[in-house]
Amino acid sequence: MSHLSRHSSWALSPLFCALLLAGCASTNTAERPAIVYKMASQWNTHTSNQSQALHQAWWLDFNSPALTDLITTALSDNPDVLIAAERITQAEAQVQGANASLFPSLNLGAGSDKSWLENGQQESSRANLGISYELDLWGKLKAERQAAAAGLAISEYDLASAQLMLTTGVANAWVQLLALDERIRINEKNLATAERNFAIVEAKYKYGAATLSDFYRQRGTVTSQQANLLPLREQRRQTESALAILLGRAPQGYQLVSQPLAELALPRLAPGLPSELLTRRPDLANAEAQLQAADANVSAARAALLPSVQLTGSGGLASQALLSLANPMQTLGLGASLSQTLFDGGRLRSQVKISEARLRELVLNYQKTILQALKETEDALGNLALSQAQIAQQQRIVDDAQRTLELTDIRYRAGADELLLLLDAQRTLFSADELLVNLQQSQFSATIDLIKALGGGWKNGVKGEE
């Protein structure tokens, strides 16, 4: 055998060894544990057959231009959404970095040396180009690329989740603001009624037709109504400030012109089947993408236990001159190398165990997320049905209380009823009006919670269709 043949055999022998080891080793990822959950054929709470589908821009169904403007501003300026978008950019860069393993790496080098020896000087110059490529015999690099791609998907689902939380948060805050304005209006109306009645009591007291206790009792009612307005107005200011933060605005000086709560349209949504929920929520897609990333990480960790094979090549020019390549000598080299960790104290095997345990953890987390999604949807449907039933009854209570107050007021002015009866009728109507507003707010909040539980306009990894 010639010298060149022997050299080639020794150079390629690591590659043959690696291929031999490939036949003895396996890096297939263990089968993912089965995800056990029972999906019912329908929800516990009955919904109307005339319900509408959930659109992408679901907030348009509330028929509130102000709410649409708020959500549009929030989606473009909210810091949390902008942060999630930047994380997508980072994940895209990580995917590009992982895909670089598909290509060889090139290195260009040049240098020039001059040294002084006992018998004279020695000068040299050189320029060389090197190329190296790692063979992915065990699928380690492929697994890393898959993990990076799953990481990008996770970032995209994080953005969709942030947008969903933001839009439903803005809608809930807007409904709360409108409800507070309605409660303030009711309290101001009751204050005006109390002040008008106090004027009547005061006039009666002057002419001896009312007692001093009636005078103080009615004046106390006026003072109590004035005190009730103070926390409501402060709560409205704080709600307005919270909306400003969601929109990426400073709360100082931020003001909103609201609209009557009755002008909001209430969407009648179709929740679909429980099984459809798995494709409608970005957090479930996120959990599934994390499983894919963990799967890839297990494969990469197991492949790290096996030898790595590197192919290298280099070519260059060399000259015995300083800063010059005159009369160069050409060089060319090819090589294949194999490296295998023989002992690392169990570090690599520990990494495999960590990756496998992380995969099992994410399977359980996926199950938990599914159960939580089912509960959130069921709760929202139940709260919506409850508020609808309560509103119908409460409206009748308000109508009766209003009629009672009108009759009691007439009888009191005529001297047929005492002041205590009038005050009791006022308190009954006031409480009934406030409770009705609270129930209306609960109905809108339950609808928004249902929208959030159903994933908003997100479905099957894309936005829902209009």
Side-chain angles (χ1 to χ4, degrees):
M1 182 181 293
S2 66
H3 175 73
L4 179 59
S5 298
R6 289 195 304 270
H7 178 75
S8 299
S9 298
W10 285 107
L12 295 178
S13 60
L15 179 58
F16 290 130
C17 292
L19 293 174
L20 182 61
L21 287 172
C24 304
S26 175
T27 59
N28 293 332
T29 304
E31 291 187 5
R32 182 180 302 163
I35 299 175
V36 181
Y37 53 85
K38 294 182 179 179
M39 304 297 289
S41 59
Q42 61 183 3
W43 302 101
N44 292 334
T45 304
H46 175 72
T47 56
S48 173
N49 294 328
Q50 299 178 350
S51 299
Q52 65 193 51
L54 184 60
H55 304 300
Q56 175 182 349
W58 52 264
W59 48 88
L60 296 178
D61 292 333
F62 285 84
N63 194 29
S64 173
L67 175 60
T68 299
D69 291 341
L70 290 173
I71 289 181
T72 301
T73 302
L75 287 174
S76 61
D77 297 341
N78 179 266
D80 290 333
V81 169
L82 297 178
I83 289 171
E86 288 300 324
R87 286 174 179 163
I88 290 180
T89 303
Q90 298 172 30
E92 289 174 342
Q94 290 178 343
V95 170
Q96 293 176 354
N99 288 339
S101 63
L102 294 170
F103 306 97
S105 60
L106 298 175
N107 300 286
L108 178 64
S112 190
D113 301 308
K114 182 176 182 179
S115 56
W116 287 266
L117 306 175
E118 292 182 359
N119 56 353
Q121 299 179 1
Q122 183 176 344
E123 299 175 346
S124 64
S125 296
R126 63 194 175 279
N128 65 286
L129 176 66
I131 182 172
S132 62
Y133 183 73
E134 182 177 355
L135 295 180
D136 193 18
L137 297 178
W138 328 114
K140 175 177 176 290
L141 300 180
K142 179 182 178 181
E144 291 175 350
R145 292 193 296 271
Q146 291 173 340
L152 174 58
I154 290 170
S155 298
E156 292 172 343
Y157 299 144
D158 282 341
L159 175 60
S161 297
Q163 290 173 333
L164 178 59
M165 294 294 293
L166 174 64
T167 52
T168 54
V170 169
N172 259 321
W174 177 245
V175 169
Q176 183 180 358
L177 187 71
L178 301 189
L180 284 169
D181 282 343
E182 191 70 18
R183 292 177 62 191
I184 290 173
R185 184 192 64 78
I186 291 172
N187 276 266
E188 289 175 342
K189 177 183 175 181
N190 279 274
L191 174 59
T193 300
E195 290 175 337
R196 184 177 67 252
N197 290 336
F198 176 64
I200 296 174
V201 172
E202 188 176 26
K204 284 188 173 184
Y205 174 70
K206 287 182 180 180
Y207 292 100
T211 64
L212 182 60
S213 61
D214 288 342
F215 174 85
Y216 283 120
R217 186 178 291 112
Q218 187 60 34
R219 192 173 74 172
T221 300
V222 172
T223 304
S224 176
Q225 292 293 335
Q226 291 172 338
N228 288 339
L229 279 168
L230 296 178
L232 288 175
R233 287 169 176 162
E234 176 59 22
Q235 190 176 353
R236 187 198 188 280
R237 185 195 65 78
Q238 293 180 5
T239 302
E240 198 171 47
S241 297
L243 261 173
I245 297 300
L246 291 175
L247 270 59
R249 302 287 188 268
Q252 290 76 20
Y254 184 81
Q255 292 183 341
L256 283 171
V257 178
S258 67
Q259 65 181 96
L261 185 62
E263 291 183 0
L264 281 186
L266 184 69
R268 303 291 182 177
L269 301 176
L273 300 176
S275 58
E276 295 175 347
L277 194 65
L278 300 182
T279 60
R280 299 182 66 161
R281 288 177 53 128
D283 60 336
L284 290 176
N286 183 300
E288 192 169 349
Q290 290 190 41
L291 280 177
Q292 295 172 358
D295 243 344
N297 287 333
V298 169
S299 295
R302 290 178 175 176
L305 295 172
L306 302 175
S308 62
V309 179
Q310 190 88 11
L311 301 180
T312 59
S314 64
L317 300 174
S319 173
Q320 293 185 350
L322 186 63
L323 301 176
S324 173
L325 291 176
N327 301 319
M329 178 180 63
Q330 298 181 356
T331 61
L332 177 65
L334 296 174
S337 63
L338 180 146
S339 62
Q340 168 69 59
T341 301
L342 297 179
F343 179 76
D344 63 356
R347 180 179 61 85
L348 292 177
R349 294 192 179 277
S350 296
Q351 188 59 49
V352 172
K353 293 180 180 179
I354 292 172
S355 300
E356 291 174 343
R358 175 61 176 165
L359 176 59
R360 293 192 296 270
E361 174 192 349
L362 290 175
V363 169
L364 296 174
N365 182 69
Y366 186 39
Q367 294 176 344
K368 176 183 175 182
T369 306
I370 291 174
L371 295 176
Q372 184 65 29
L374 293 171
K375 180 183 183 301
E376 289 174 358
T377 305
E378 194 68 66
D379 288 350
L381 288 170
N383 290 334
L384 184 57
L386 175 62
S387 62
Q388 289 172 345
Q390 287 178 314
I391 285 175
Q393 295 180 352
Q394 188 63 28
Q395 186 61 61
R396 291 193 291 269
I397 294 174
V398 169
D399 294 339
D400 292 343
Q402 179 66 46
R403 184 59 179 160
T404 300
L405 177 60
E406 293 172 355
L407 294 175
T408 306
D409 184 64
I410 293 173
R411 290 176 59 82
Y412 176 75
R413 291 172 183 270
D417 278 341
E418 296 181 356
L419 177 63
L420 288 176
L421 293 177
L422 178 62
L423 295 179
D424 183 66
Q426 290 174 353
R427 284 192 294 268
T428 300
L429 178 60
F430 169 73
S431 299
D433 280 338
E434 277 215 313
L435 182 55
L436 179 60
V437 172
N438 289 337
L439 290 174
Q440 290 170 342
Q441 179 186 349
S442 298
Q443 186 180 36
F444 279 105
S445 296
T447 301
I448 296 170
D449 289 343
L450 178 59
I451 290 171
K452 182 168 66 173
L454 294 177
W458 191 93
K459 185 177 181 181
N460 286 330
V462 296
K463 291 290 186 180
E465 295 181 356
E466 291 286 354

